[in-house]
Amino acid sequence: MAKKANTVSTNNDVIKSRSQFQEVFHRLLKNKGAVIGMIFLLVLVIIALISPLAFDYETQVIGQNMADRLQGPSAAHWFGTDEYGRDLFARIMWGSRYSLIIGFGAVTIGLVVGTILGAIAGFKGGIWDQLIMRFIDIFYSIPNIMIAVVIVSVLGTSTVNLVIALSFSAATGFCRVVRAAVMTVRDQEYVESSYAMGLPTWKIIAKHILPNCLSPIIVQYTLQVGTTIISASSLSFLGIGVPAPAPEWGALLSGGRSRMRDASYLCVLPGLAILFTVLALNLLGDGLRDALDPKLKK
Amino acid sequence: MIKYIVKRLLQLIPVIIVTSFLIYWAMNLTSGDPALLIAGDKATPEMLEQIREEMGLNDPFLVRYGRYMLGMIQGDMGESYITGKDVFQTFMETLPNTLMLGGAAVLIAVIIALPLGIYTAIHQSTWKDNVGMVFALFGTAMPNFWLGLMLILLFSLKLGWFPSGGKAGFSSVVLPAVTVGYGLAALIMRTTRSSMLDVIRQDYMTTARAKGCSERQVIFRHGLKNALIPIITAIGMQISMIMTGSVLAETVFSWPGIGRLVNDSIARRDNEMVTGAIIMCSICMCLINLVVDLVYAFFDPRIKAQYAKKG
């Protein structure tokens, strides 16, 4: 699909050839919101990568320093310090690693599992479809947070278990999206001809069907990462996510809650970090949806 | 129609059985030994064995699950080993509080989002539309427990307009309901806007104008009525989100509902209460989804006709 070339005439009437990827990227760059989202995420990834170089985890991020406790934002501590004297700026910077790893990790696992299940359900149909989709329906009848509560209760609280718990709800979303997308392309002639050529089913799904269902999957992935980051912080806020003293953003909010009266910045700033990250992902997701929508093609 | 309702209720039974089985099985893996909880640390192995035998804890898993489900049908889901409270009764006592919070959240969301969605659709691609879209964008990106904290900070601690927690009269519902309702409002607003944009260009709208209807009549009687189905669907699809939002808002505002019950029970490692509450929650969700399906029929006679055929 990506190799298919499109021809676009420019102002000078010079015929330029763009791959479909270039075409989509070009449209994406025209969307201001998506560009802001992309830049923010890029900065966030850089912060997540350099935070171990800038702050020592043992001493600056989780190490207590009671002499500096509850100091408001200042030149020495840009975001102030918490009740154990830990620098909030350092903790929020480090927290980006947790949010990004959990968000992208859980959604990637969900993507793999959901895509496999959705592709089988959509392509095979019949009893497979019934079995898989009824199973997915069951997960839809339990609130996501309750599924996570059950899984974390079974496996115990840790970052890895949180990722597993959140990947369940991500997988159900991907399964539905992929199934619907596969069903729309499975009867196309190129799929029939692959059959006629004697390709095995898995190869037809992997090489011919899934690449043609990529658009909804990419959009779902971007938006789901945002939702998952919120869910992860919600669970940490409830005390069943990332265990203390790790600086996950939801855990920071939970810790700052008891100090709302005298140190409100402890509650405001980690929440803004979550808000802007999810906002950036949603802007990018919406931009991708518009850029990938063939109806908008000129 | 009645036949259809009965059919849908019957379809719920296997879903409830499988869901409750999965939850019961998973929570069973986590349970510590209830006999140890009852007898305490100083119990002898013989005493523990006797308690296990009396309580049927030595029976195979499927037998225990069957007994649990039979009890549930009769409103008996056992007792919490930690607090000694009846699980079913405690759930039923807290359920109205959560329903009240969820209902208030939906009401606030609809009151804000419906007019805003219509307004932004009418003023498409203007600054008014952009402001509305920013409202929606923030609503979908904002963690609602954080919104709750910010509302407490502003309206309780700084301005003192509303209580910061607990359940005492009308004023105590406002902040939790806004907390749960904002995300929902964002979603309803977006759906209303796109749904109205779809119908606004339809021929029957032009016809209504040609007949001399006022703009208000055209929008509300001819436009909104036809745009309502996707909006109700959007609300119906978000039952899970409302439930999740309630769990968090109840924790933030110390609201005595299911969310706080589950959260407190997790903290106390009260597995019986957690298991019972989660199973009952999923049953409630199934029933609410059924009600939402039936509400569609009320608003759209075409769906009613389809139901009549199916029934």
Side-chain angles (χ1 to χ4, degrees):
Chain A
M1 185 183 79
K3 284 174 191 164
K4 213 192 282 175
N6 294 335
T7 53
V8 178
S9 64
T10 64
N11 289 341
N12 307 328
D13 275 331
V14 180
I15 304 297
K16 253 191 180 176
S17 172
R18 279 196 194 134
S19 73
Q20 194 158 353
F21 172 77
Q22 284 171 322
E23 183 81 359
V24 169
F25 193 67
H26 182 73
R27 268 201 299 259
L28 193 64
L29 288 182
K30 282 184 181 168
N31 186 325
K32 279 182 208 157
V35 172
I36 295 171
M38 268 193 294
I39 293 171
F40 184 88
L41 289 174
L42 197 69
V43 171
L44 193 68
V45 170
I46 293 170
I47 287 172
L49 289 174
I50 62 164
S51 52
L53 303 173
F55 304 102
D56 181 57
Y57 188 73
E58 293 297 329
T59 56
Q60 285 171 291
V61 179
I62 59 168
Q64 299 183 8
N65 179 13
M66 296 311 264
D68 280 346
R69 68 193 294 267
L70 292 175
Q71 289 190 4
S74 63
H77 301 287
W78 292 357
F79 288 179
T81 57
D82 68 4
E83 56 186 337
Y84 298 108
R86 297 174 295 202
D87 185 73
L88 190 62
F89 182 71
R91 283 172 71 73
I92 289 181
M93 294 294 120
W94 259 89
S96 64
R97 294 169 72 83
Y98 282 91
S99 287
L100 290 179
I101 290 171
I102 294 168
F104 283 96
V107 177
T108 306
I109 296 173
L111 169 77
V112 174
V113 176
T115 303
I116 293 172
L117 290 177
I120 294 172
F123 190 73
K124 292 265 187 186
I127 184 78
W128 283 102
D129 186 27
Q130 283 294 324
L131 269 176
I132 292 171
M133 292 323 286
R134 290 302 76 79
F135 187 68
I136 296 293
D137 279 349
I138 286 165
F139 279 99
Y140 258 70
S141 74
I142 312 172
N144 290 345
I145 203 158
M146 298 288 185
I147 298 175
V149 165
V150 172
I151 295 171
V152 173
S153 304
V154 174
L155 301 174
T157 46
S158 77
T159 309
V160 175
N161 294 344
L162 183 65
V163 169
I164 294 170
L166 293 170
S167 64
F168 266 81
S169 44
T172 54
F174 281 113
C175 184
R176 288 192 166 202
V177 168
V178 172
R179 174 179 173 267
V182 167
M183 282 169 91
T184 56
V185 298
R186 72 172 176 199
D187 295 326
Q188 300 281 325
E189 281 166 3
Y190 60 82
V191 177
E192 274 178 40
S193 66
S194 326
Y195 253 131
M197 282 162 65
L199 283 182
T201 310
W202 69 266
K203 217 169 185 174
I204 297 175
I205 294 178
K207 286 194 84 173
H208 298 280
I209 292 187
L210 284 181
N212 284 294
C213 305
L214 268 184
S215 303
I217 297 175
I218 292 171
V219 174
Q220 171 80 4
Y221 187 91
T222 320
L223 297 175
Q224 187 69 46
V225 172
T227 315
T228 305
I229 288 176
I230 291 188
S231 302
S233 58
S234 307
L235 288 167
S236 295
F237 180 75
L238 292 176
I240 47 175
V242 179
E248 203 276 339
W249 290 338
L252 294 186
L253 277 173
S254 179
R257 203 180 143 199
S258 55
R259 290 281 166 187
M260 231 161 49
R261 216 173 267 274
D262 50 346
S264 54
Y265 58 90
L266 289 175
C267 271
V268 177
L269 297 170
L272 285 178
I274 304 173
L275 172 66
F276 287 131
T277 306
V278 180
L279 203 59
L281 283 159
N282 286 357
L283 283 171
L284 180 61
D286 285 348
L288 277 169
R289 180 183 288 150
D290 293 344
L292 288 163
D293 191 344
K295 274 183 271 176
L296 291 175
K297 271 188 184 174
K298 283 174 192 167
Chain B
M1 190 70 185
I2 292 169
K3 264 188 192 172
Y4 181 74
I5 298 173
V6 174
K7 200 173 153 189
R8 282 293 311 268
L9 278 171
L10 289 176
Q11 278 174 353
L12 276 185
I13 295 172
V15 175
I16 289 171
I17 291 175
V18 179
T19 311
S20 57
F21 180 84
L22 284 176
I23 298 168
Y24 189 78
W25 169 74
M27 293 306 292
N28 199 62
L29 293 176
T30 67
S31 305
D33 188 353
L36 201 63
L37 283 173
I38 293 167
D41 293 339
K42 290 174 184 166
T44 59
E46 290 76 25
M47 274 168 71
L48 291 177
E49 191 52 36
Q50 196 190 342
I51 294 173
R52 281 192 204 112
E53 200 59 44
E54 277 170 12
M55 294 177 64
L57 295 171
N58 287 335
D59 291 340
F61 172 74
L62 280 177
V63 174
R64 276 182 288 142
Y65 170 70
R67 206 164 40 218
Y68 187 80
M69 290 304 283
L70 273 177
M72 193 172 84
I73 295 167
Q74 297 159 37
D76 174 19
M77 298 177 89
E79 279 175 4
S80 155
Y81 298 128
I82 310 276
T83 59
K85 283 185 182 166
D86 185 274
V87 173
F88 188 79
Q89 209 182 337
T90 312
F91 182 87
M92 283 310 189
E93 276 166 14
T94 44
L95 181 66
N97 291 340
T98 296
L99 290 181
M100 183 181 162
L101 178 57
V106 174
L107 194 71
I108 285 182
V110 170
I111 290 173
I112 297 170
L114 218 54
L116 199 59
I118 297 168
Y119 188 76
T120 48
I122 296 170
H123 297 93
Q124 194 196 0
S125 303
T126 62
W127 68 269
K128 293 166 189 167
D129 185 24
N130 291 341
V131 170
M133 290 311 280
V134 168
F135 166 85
L137 208 57
F138 273 87
T140 45
M142 196 176 286
N144 70 359
F145 60 93
W146 181 68
L147 173 66
L149 292 175
M150 293 303 102
L151 291 177
I152 291 178
L153 197 62
L154 181 64
F155 292 105
S156 302
L157 300 183
K158 293 255 190 284
L159 300 172
W161 291 356
F162 298 100
S164 63
K167 182 177 173 259
F170 172 76
S171 62
S172 63
V173 192
V174 178
L175 294 186
V178 172
T179 303
V180 184
Y182 182 34
L184 188 66
L187 208 105
I188 297 174
M189 192 227 122
R190 276 173 86 142
T191 317
T192 307
R193 181 180 172 275
S194 63
S195 189
M196 278 303 283
L197 284 175
D198 279 345
V199 298
I200 235 163
R201 297 187 185 90
Q202 297 288 328
D203 288 343
Y204 58 75
M205 297 286 276
T206 318
T207 312
R209 281 194 191 98
K211 280 194 319 191
C213 287
S214 68
E215 195 57 29
R216 182 186 289 262
Q217 266 186 322
V218 174
I219 297 293
F220 286 95
R221 282 192 57 185
H222 297 267
L224 185 61
K225 211 170 172 189
N226 284 294
L228 264 183
I229 285 292
I231 300 167
I232 298 169
T233 311
I235 300 173
M237 295 275 284
Q238 297 309 316
I239 299 292
S240 170
M241 180 183 138
I242 299 166
M243 202 78 168
T244 304
S246 301
V247 171
L248 290 159
E250 284 171 11
T251 310
V252 173
F253 290 95
S254 306
W255 182 264
I258 307 290
R260 206 174 135 211
L261 175 72
V262 172
N263 202 30
D264 289 351
S265 305
I266 292 169
R268 282 196 298 259
R269 302 202 165 276
D270 188 348
N271 274 317
E272 282 63 37
M273 198 60 93
V274 176
T275 311
I278 295 181
I279 290 176
M280 288 302 288
C281 266
S282 42
I283 294 173
C284 288
M285 288 252 312
C286 290
L287 291 174
I288 294 172
N289 280 328
L290 174 67
V291 172
V292 172
D293 270 4
L294 298 176
V295 171
Y296 295 160
F298 180 77
F299 280 99
D300 193 342
R302 284 169 298 188
I303 299 176
K304 201 179 200 170
Q306 211 181 330
Y307 278 0
K309 255 189 240 166
K310 274 187 190 171

